[in-house]
Amino acid sequence: MKLKGRNKISPEFSMSSMTDIVFLLLIFFLLTANSPNALDLLLPKAKGKSTNTQNVSVTINRNLQYFVNNEQINGEYIEIELKKALEGQDKPTIILRAEESVAIKEAVNVMDIANRNNYKVILAVRPN
C-alpha cells in the first residue's frame, strides 16, 4: 500500500512578495518624509484687513550699478531713494539682489541703511 502523496513539499521560500512589500513601504516613507507640508492645517478665520506689504527691490550688479525697482540710481543716493519708495509703509521690506561676484561690503551697506531706518531685508538667492 502506497501512503506517500504525489505532491512534494518544497522547503524553498520565495522572496518576491517580501521585496514588493518592502519596496512599497520604502516609497511611502520617502514621500511622507520629504514633504515639508506634511501637516494639513485649517487655519482660523479672522475679520480685519490684511496688510498688503509692498516690497522694494534693490539690485547690485557686477559693475556696482545700483537699481531700485529696476531704475538705475547712483549708489550715493540709495538711502534717499529707499526712503522715497518705502514712505508710508506699515512693514517696509527690501528685497536685496546682489550678484555673486559683488563684494559683501556692498550688500552690507544696503543692510546697514535698512537697519538705520528699521526696514526688513530679504536676501534673494537662487535655488540649487
Side-chain angles (χ1 to χ4, degrees), residues 78-80 82-83 86 92 94 109-120:
I78 191 161
E79 186 167 6
I80 296 167
L82 286 175
K83 284 182 180 180
L86 293 170
I94 299 171
N109 182 30
V110 175
M111 290 179 187
D112 185 42
I113 291 169
N115 188 32
R116 281 195 307 255
N117 295 294
N118 295 322
Y119 301 150
K120 283 175 68 175

Side-chain angles (χ1 to χ4, degrees), residues 66-107:
Y66 288 82
F67 298 87
V68 174
N69 288 337
N70 296 326
E71 292 182 28
Q72 186 173 357
I73 62 162
N74 191 343
E76 297 171 6
Y77 304 116
I78 191 161
E79 186 167 6
I80 296 167
E81 292 296 323
L82 286 175
K83 284 182 180 180
K84 283 182 196 175
L86 293 170
E87 188 175 29
Q89 296 289 326
D90 288 338
K91 295 178 184 176
T93 305
I94 299 171
I95 298 176
L96 178 58
R97 293 182 175 95
E99 272 193 57
E100 199 172 32
S101 60
V102 172
I104 193 70
K105 79 173 194 177
E106 303 299 328

Side-chain angles (χ1 to χ4, degrees), residues 18-35:
M18 185 65 77
T19 54
D20 290 344
I21 292 171
V22 170
F23 181 69
L24 289 174
L25 285 173
L26 177 68
I27 290 174
F28 173 75
F29 286 124
L30 283 174
L31 290 176
T32 58
N34 290 336
S35 175

Side-chain angles (χ1 to χ4, degrees), residues 10-61:
S10 174
E12 298 171 9
F13 179 72
S14 176
M15 289 290 291
S16 64
S17 61
M18 185 65 77
T19 54
D20 290 344
I21 292 171
V22 170
F23 181 69
L24 289 174
L25 285 173
L26 177 68
I27 290 174
F28 173 75
F29 286 124
L30 283 174
L31 290 176
T32 58
N34 290 336
S35 175
N37 299 326
L39 294 176
D40 189 17
L41 300 176
L42 181 62
L43 298 175
K45 293 182 180 179
K47 291 187 178 180
K49 99 176 171 180
S50 62
T51 57
N52 202 1
T53 59
Q54 293 182 347
N55 299 328
V56 172
S57 172
V58 175
T59 307
I60 308 171
N61 66 10

